[in-house]
Amino acid sequence: MEDIFKRLPEHTCGWLANKLTLYKYQDFWAVKQLHEGGILAQQSFKAEPSDVFLCSFPKTGTTWLKSLAFAIVSRAKFDESSSPLLTNLVHECVPFLEREIDKIEENHKKSNFPLVATHLPYSLLPESILASDCKIVYIYRNTKDVIVSFYHFMREAVKLSMEDAPFQEAFEEFCEGICSSGPYWDHILGYWKASLERPERILFLKYEDLKRDPASNVKRLAEFIGYPFSADEEKAGVVDNIVSLCSFENLSNLEVNKSGKRKAGSLENRLYFRKGKDGDWKNYFTDEMKEKIDKIMDEKLSGTGLVLN
Ligand code: A3P
């Protein structure tokens, strides 16, 4: 495996005080450990027909999607007062394919827990997923908010202040496609094109739509992944309870998410809950920056039928 990395394009992020090095493997940038995890998954992961894949580019709403899907599939066992989400960061409840393949294999053997998350681009998904009929849910988000969210997450992860991590430089790198799992446009387009070919298999959910109308989108999500709400459940308020349980206001105020740490590594759970707002980019972007990224996205997405601002 080590040999692969010697031959790959490499980039050290200056705006993060050189504390992060990314490698470009098969057109996508990521840290070595994630590429290794992706390659291992490609070599050995066997999807089960009941698996549901929650796919995303980082900072587009992964934590929210995982929480909602977890609450949906586990609602027969737990309600809003007993949910493991109240005492665990959701990333400890729903494993990432490129990080926790053992946990997923254990779930396959020991339980019928169907959820698997990944930041892998569509083109790098293991063949056993591509060839399956498993459901895939892809969450995406306004590019400018992704950039701001990404900026804060990364700089806090390496413990840099805003003064020491210039936003403008982070922005320029993102525009060149350089960031973990980037380029963003290629990540979205991989899933988008696949969803046009097999719409019954891939659901596209937009962060901003979830914000605007969480209940309808939660119903859509539940139905799509094969866990639809019954009329009785709807009447009993189960959908609204899941929406409230997984709301930013609720999750971000839980002790575990305010002061806990990841079990592996040293990341603080609070980094996954910053503002949870639509449009925070307006506090960071100059007119020139807005124009530049809008133009890039328009060009990259032109003719694809996907509109994203
Ligand atoms: P901000 O940095 O804009 O606040 P990811 O989960 O893909 O890493 O994305 C993190 C982003 O989703 C952060 O955005 C975070 O605050 C937001 N987020 C986390 N949980 C959320 C929730 N329950 N509802 C809405 N947004 C949420």
Side-chain angles (χ1 to χ4, degrees):
M1 185 96 70
E2 206 46 46
D3 276 357
I4 300 180
F5 290 94
K6 283 192 194 134
R7 297 192 300 268
L8 297 182
E10 183 180 329
H11 177 87
T12 299
C13 301
W15 67 276
L16 284 171
N18 299 331
K19 291 184 179 186
L20 185 79
T21 298
L22 300 171
Y23 293 84
K24 193 179 192 185
Y25 174 72
Q26 309 244 331
D27 299 328
F28 286 92
W29 292 97
V31 296
K32 197 174 186 181
Q33 190 197 11
L34 289 188
H35 279 315
E36 284 171 346
I39 292 168
L40 180 69
Q42 277 184 336
Q43 289 168 346
S44 66
F45 181 72
K46 297 276 168 290
E48 293 283 330
S50 56
D51 284 343
V52 170
F53 294 92
L54 307 175
C55 306
S56 61
F57 187 86
K59 304 300 124 202
T60 56
T62 317
T63 309
W64 196 10
L65 174 63
K66 285 171 85 171
S67 305
L68 290 168
F70 182 86
I72 289 169
V73 305
S74 64
R75 69 185 188 270
K77 223 163 144 189
F78 307 112
D79 66 12
E80 64 285 0
S81 62
S82 61
S83 175
L85 294 177
L86 298 171
T87 46
N88 297 271
L89 175 71
V90 69
H91 301 306
E92 312 294 353
C93 304
V94 180
F96 271 110
L97 179 60
E98 56 276 41
R99 286 183 188 275
E100 295 158 298
I101 201 164
D102 295 352
K103 233 185 196 175
I104 301 167
E105 284 167 357
E106 213 177 291
N107 283 343
H108 282 166
K109 276 194 217 126
K110 289 201 190 144
S111 70
N112 53 5
F113 184 74
L115 303 177
V116 178
T118 185
H119 287 319
L120 285 177
Y122 189 79
S123 58
L124 295 184
L125 289 179
E127 187 52 38
S128 71
I129 302 178
L130 298 177
S132 74
D133 291 326
C134 294
K135 300 285 184 184
I136 292 178
V137 181
Y138 187 79
I139 189 159
Y140 68 118
R141 185 182 189 188
N142 174 322
T143 314
K144 296 186 280 293
D145 279 334
V146 173
I147 297 175
V148 170
S149 182
F150 183 79
Y151 164 74
H152 286 296
F153 182 85
M154 294 310 299
R155 90 173 164 72
E156 291 224 42
V158 300
K159 302 193 181 341
L160 287 177
S161 67
M162 284 181 70
E163 289 71 41
D164 293 333
F167 178 65
Q168 176 82 35
E169 279 179 42
F171 168 81
E172 296 299 340
E173 273 190 5
F174 193 99
C175 290
E176 284 169 40
I178 306 174
C179 60
S180 194
S181 304
Y184 183 41
W185 44 88
D186 287 337
H187 200 281
I188 302 185
L189 284 177
Y191 283 92
W192 177 248
K193 285 176 187 161
S195 81
L196 295 179
E197 279 163 28
R198 293 182 64 190
E200 74 293 348
R201 200 168 68 109
I202 306 185
L203 175 70
F204 259 62
L205 276 184
K206 198 170 184 184
Y207 181 94
E208 292 75 15
D209 290 343
L210 260 179
K211 274 251 142 214
R212 197 175 30 80
D213 185 357
S216 325
N217 282 290
V218 165
K219 282 194 262 178
R220 242 177 107 205
L221 170 62
E223 188 146 344
F224 184 81
I225 63 177
Y227 291 77
F229 294 101
S230 66
D232 283 348
E233 281 184 307
E234 286 198 35
K235 235 188 267 164
V238 176
V239 178
D240 293 336
N241 290 344
I242 288 180
V243 168
S244 307
L245 170 68
C246 300
S247 68
F248 181 84
E249 291 64 32
N250 188 47
L251 292 181
S252 64
N253 281 307
L254 295 172
E255 208 43 52
V256 63
N257 294 331
K258 280 201 294 198
S259 57
K261 279 194 175 170
R262 297 297 310 267
K263 285 187 182 144
S266 57
L267 272 188
E268 294 171 79
N269 295 348
R270 67 174 180 86
L271 299 192
Y272 295 95
F273 304 91
R274 193 183 61 92
K275 280 197 179 171
K277 292 221 158 32
D278 174 12
D280 190 37
W281 64 267
K282 290 176 192 144
N283 297 317
Y284 295 84
F285 276 59
T286 61
D287 290 348
E288 291 73 30
M289 290 161 100
K290 176 186 182 303
E291 220 168 274
K292 178 167 175 171
I293 191 66
D294 284 351
K295 188 160 173 273
I296 290 173
M297 292 309 283
D298 282 352
E299 278 169 17
K300 301 288 182 186
L301 303 188
S302 136
T304 65
L306 181 67
V307 180
L308 183 61
N309 42 25

